[in-house]
Amino acid sequence: MIRAYLMNGYSMGIKYKNLCLANFMRDTRVNRIAGKSASPLKILCTPEGIRLQCFMKYFTEEMKVNWQHRDAKISSSEHMRIGGSEEMAWLQICEPTEKDKGKYTFEIFDGKDNHQRSLDLSGQAFDEAFAEFQQLKAAAFAEKNRGRLIGGLPDVVTIMEGKTLNLTCTVFGNPDPEVVWFKNDQDIELSEHFSVKVEQAKYVSMTIKGVTSEDSGKYSINVKNKYGGEKIDVTVSVYKHGEKIPDVAPPQQAKPKLIPASASAPGQ
């Protein structure tokens, strides 16, 4: 019984060693294919920083790879993030500074040879990449904070004469955006008939009391701050009591149009 148990344990040990050897040979073969197919390092700028990329036939984050800066090994951190996808390894340099200039090396070890790809991120290469990163960062910040409409307005409204029309939406922006309504691209003169409310700098409504046929037309809301904004058009069709409801397409959520930060007036 004891001998059988020992023999079984010995057999399991042999199988485990063979499995480890097979895995090692497989990983070595994959690393060798990846290393030989590795492309030169390429620069990709993002709103977060400068990314160095190496493309290859295969890549997993479990592979034996190293990134180096000025011949010193890089450990993944908030400033230097290491990652990859199925066919690419990358190093993300977040919020780069002058200290991040220098030679970068990507290395794959296949059990026998080191496959290296290097790039000198200095001089013009760094200056151009840093300038593009700054532009992308500013654009992403502006996109995040520009004026925008949250919660849809319909693109078409059909209403009977004498009723009250109320268009409501929520707006966002940092700083708080300016909100302006237009009718047929002209300023709306506020009165008891036309009224506009903005509450808590985000809840917006336009009310038309006792609509008439003259109130038919295109109404636009422009939401804009210094980073830009959005414009939405709503077509209002008024019909008289007793008339057949106009045959129009079912209303859809109106699609906003971008207002660039350079626009000098909300109506542009």
Side-chain angles (χ1 to χ4, degrees):
M1 176 71 75
I2 294 176
R3 182 179 179 183
Y5 177 80
L6 292 175
M7 290 297 294
N8 185 56
Y10 177 77
S11 176
M12 290 295 292
I14 293 295
K15 289 181 179 179
Y16 177 75
K17 288 182 179 180
N18 289 339
L19 178 62
C20 291
L21 180 60
N23 288 339
F24 173 78
M25 295 299 292
R26 181 199 63 196
D27 293 344
T28 298
R29 184 168 60 254
V30 170
N31 281 20
R32 183 174 297 116
I33 293 173
K36 289 183 177 181
S37 67
S39 71
L41 296 185
K42 300 180 183 298
I43 297 174
L44 175 69
C45 297
T46 72
E48 291 76 34
I50 299 172
R51 176 173 291 193
L52 304 183
Q53 300 179 138
C54 183
F55 295 88
M56 60 201 77
K57 287 186 176 180
Y58 307 104
F59 179 75
T60 67
E61 295 189 26
E62 289 75 30
M63 292 171 63
K64 294 181 179 179
V65 301
N66 288 312
W67 284 93
Q68 299 174 10
H69 179 218
R70 299 174 183 169
D71 298 324
K73 183 179 177 179
I74 299 172
S75 297
S76 189
S77 64
E78 289 186 6
H79 180 59
M80 295 273 195
R81 298 206 307 265
I82 295 174
S85 60
E86 292 183 357
E87 297 180 345
M88 177 183 67
W90 52 258
L91 171 69
Q92 178 77 41
I93 308 169
C94 300
E95 296 291 336
T97 67
E98 292 284 325
K99 294 181 180 180
D100 297 313
K101 289 182 177 180
K103 178 184 176 183
Y104 287 83
T105 301
F106 174 67
E107 180 181 73
I108 302 178
F109 181 63
D110 66 11
K112 179 181 178 181
D113 299 317
N114 281 327
H115 304 271
Q116 295 184 339
R117 301 293 185 269
S118 297
L119 182 146
D120 187 7
L121 191 61
S122 302
Q124 184 177 357
F126 179 86
D127 293 343
E128 291 180 352
F130 185 79
E132 185 177 351
F133 149 65
Q134 292 281 59
Q135 292 175 355
L136 292 171
K137 180 182 177 181
F141 183 85
E143 174 61 23
K144 179 181 178 181
N145 291 281
R146 67 175 175 82
R148 66 179 70 242
L149 288 134
I150 305 171
L153 286 169
D155 60 349
V156 175
V157 173
T158 303
I159 186 170
M160 187 173 68
E161 192 174 55
K163 298 288 187 179
T164 295
L165 173 64
N166 190 33
L167 298 175
T168 62
C169 63
T170 303
V171 301
F172 167 82
N174 185 20
D176 292 338
E178 179 184 12
V179 178
V180 182
W181 287 89
F182 298 89
K183 178 186 177 184
N184 297 330
D185 299 322
Q186 302 296 318
D187 291 339
I188 294 177
E189 185 176 343
L190 300 182
S191 63
E192 290 188 3
H193 185 59
F194 283 102
S195 63
V196 172
K197 287 184 179 180
V198 180
E199 299 178 321
Q200 300 179 34
K202 61 180 180 179
Y203 302 115
V204 178
S205 65
M206 184 195 73
T207 302
I208 308 177
K209 294 181 180 179
V211 297
T212 69
S213 58
E214 294 182 355
D215 294 319
S216 295
K218 182 184 73 173
Y219 290 82
S220 306
I221 178 174
N222 288 27
V223 179
K224 181 177 179 249
N225 60 17
K226 64 181 180 179
Y227 299 115
E230 292 179 346
K231 169 187 176 183
I232 279 184
D233 295 330
V234 180
T235 300
V236 175
S237 179
V238 180
Y239 65 95
K240 293 182 179 182
H241 180 71
E243 288 184 346
K244 181 182 177 182
I245 298 176
D247 186 14
V248 296
Q252 304 291 329
Q253 182 170 313
K255 295 181 179 180
K257 300 175 183 176
L258 187 65
I259 301 175
S262 59
S264 58
Q268 289 185 331

